[in-house]
Amino acid sequence: MRRTPEQAEQTRLKVIDAGLRLFSQSGYSGTTLAMIAKEAGMSRGPIYWHFQNKDELFEAVIAYSQTPLQRLVTAASANTPDPVARMSAFIEGWFDLLVRDKRHRQSFEILMNKTELTQRMARTVRRERQLTRSIIELFETLVDDARAQGLLPEGDPADLLALQTYTYLMGVTQTWLFSPRLFSLRERKDYFHRKCLATLFDSAATAAKPEQTASG
């Protein structure tokens, strides 16, 4: 009996879910297609129907699990009046996703702690680098827009402030994933959200202070 497109998609997502669980536990090298098939409760045949090899499945797993992050980027890029509010919503959403979305959290675990990024994963690496650039460019645009509206002081270059904000988010993420018993992100996410915004405003004004002192 031929499967419907809906059934085929359900099978594909079942394989991706199984791959996500195993890649996050054992990394790329420690996971085989046979293991994924067993985890998904099927033979390897359905996997090869959807994916040519483990590399292609790995790429699909990462892309699928980071879809919520792409949605955050899209939402923060919307042309709404307050760029600072969009930046704040992105930062809050970043931490909320890590705490609430297991698939999203597992994608970071795979990339940051469980996988050696080799040439075999070149397409996945390119995609991740493009996503990183898009987030930093978004932050830079939001800083420029906020300054244009007088919501953020002039000072350090927008590109550096954007990079600083991104590395802050990644730093908290990496620290928590590497040692989750060090602190509860669920309990501390509001604190990190506030501090990230405060650091952005403090740094934005840093370069402006000498001129303000001189003019005063």
Side-chain angles (χ1 to χ4, degrees):
M1 184 175 65
R2 291 178 62 86
R3 292 183 303 168
T4 66
E6 291 77 14
Q7 289 172 325
E9 180 61 13
Q10 288 175 0
T11 299
R12 177 179 175 274
L13 292 178
K14 193 172 183 180
V15 171
I16 287 175
D17 266 338
L20 183 58
R21 287 193 296 273
L22 293 181
F23 286 137
S24 67
Q25 293 170 13
S26 304
Y28 175 89
S29 299
T31 301
T32 66
L33 290 181
M35 292 167 62
I36 293 172
K38 182 178 180 181
E39 179 75 10
M42 63 183 68
S43 68
R44 279 184 287 181
I47 295 179
Y48 287 116
W49 178 262
H50 293 283
F51 307 101
Q52 292 184 8
N53 49 45
K54 188 170 72 168
D55 296 342
E56 189 172 293
L57 173 56
F58 182 81
E59 183 178 2
V61 163
I62 299 301
Y64 173 73
S65 58
Q66 292 202 338
T67 299
L69 182 56
Q70 293 280 10
R71 293 197 192 104
L72 271 186
V73 173
T74 300
S77 302
N79 190 22
T80 53
D82 190 341
V84 173
R86 281 186 278 156
M87 175 77 84
S88 178
F90 184 98
I91 295 167
E92 182 179 24
W94 176 287
F95 291 130
D96 281 343
L97 279 177
L98 286 170
V99 169
R100 298 176 183 175
D101 191 319
K102 185 177 180 179
R103 292 189 181 100
H104 178 72
R105 183 167 64 251
Q106 286 172 326
S107 72
F108 271 99
E109 183 70 33
I110 292 167
L111 290 169
M112 301 178 81
N113 295 331
K114 294 295 179 66
T115 301
E116 181 183 359
L117 299 178
T118 65
Q119 184 58 35
R120 298 180 65 180
M121 300 164 209
R123 290 200 306 180
T124 298
V125 171
R126 281 197 301 271
R127 180 191 172 280
E128 290 304 307
R129 286 174 176 167
Q130 288 170 357
L131 179 58
T132 296
R133 283 194 294 269
S134 71
I135 294 172
I136 294 173
E137 288 169 1
L138 168 64
F139 289 170
E140 184 175 354
T141 298
L142 292 175
V143 169
D144 283 333
D145 289 350
R147 281 176 166 166
Q149 295 181 35
L151 301 174
L152 200 63
E154 294 294 333
D156 287 341
D159 60 334
L160 293 183
L161 292 176
L163 182 61
Q164 168 191 289
T165 303
Y166 179 77
T167 54
Y168 179 100
L169 295 175
M170 288 296 288
V172 174
T173 301
Q174 168 67 359
T175 302
W176 180 61
L177 289 176
F178 182 72
S179 185
R181 294 185 179 181
L182 189 62
F183 62 94
S184 168
L185 185 58
R186 184 180 296 276
E187 295 175 2
R188 300 287 184 248
K189 61 186 177 66
D190 291 341
Y191 169 82
F192 288 122
H193 174 206
R194 293 195 308 271
K195 280 297 182 180
C196 188
L197 281 177
T199 301
L200 174 64
F201 274 84
D202 289 346
S203 298
T206 298
K209 287 181 179 178
E211 296 179 5
Q212 292 169 354
T213 302
S215 60

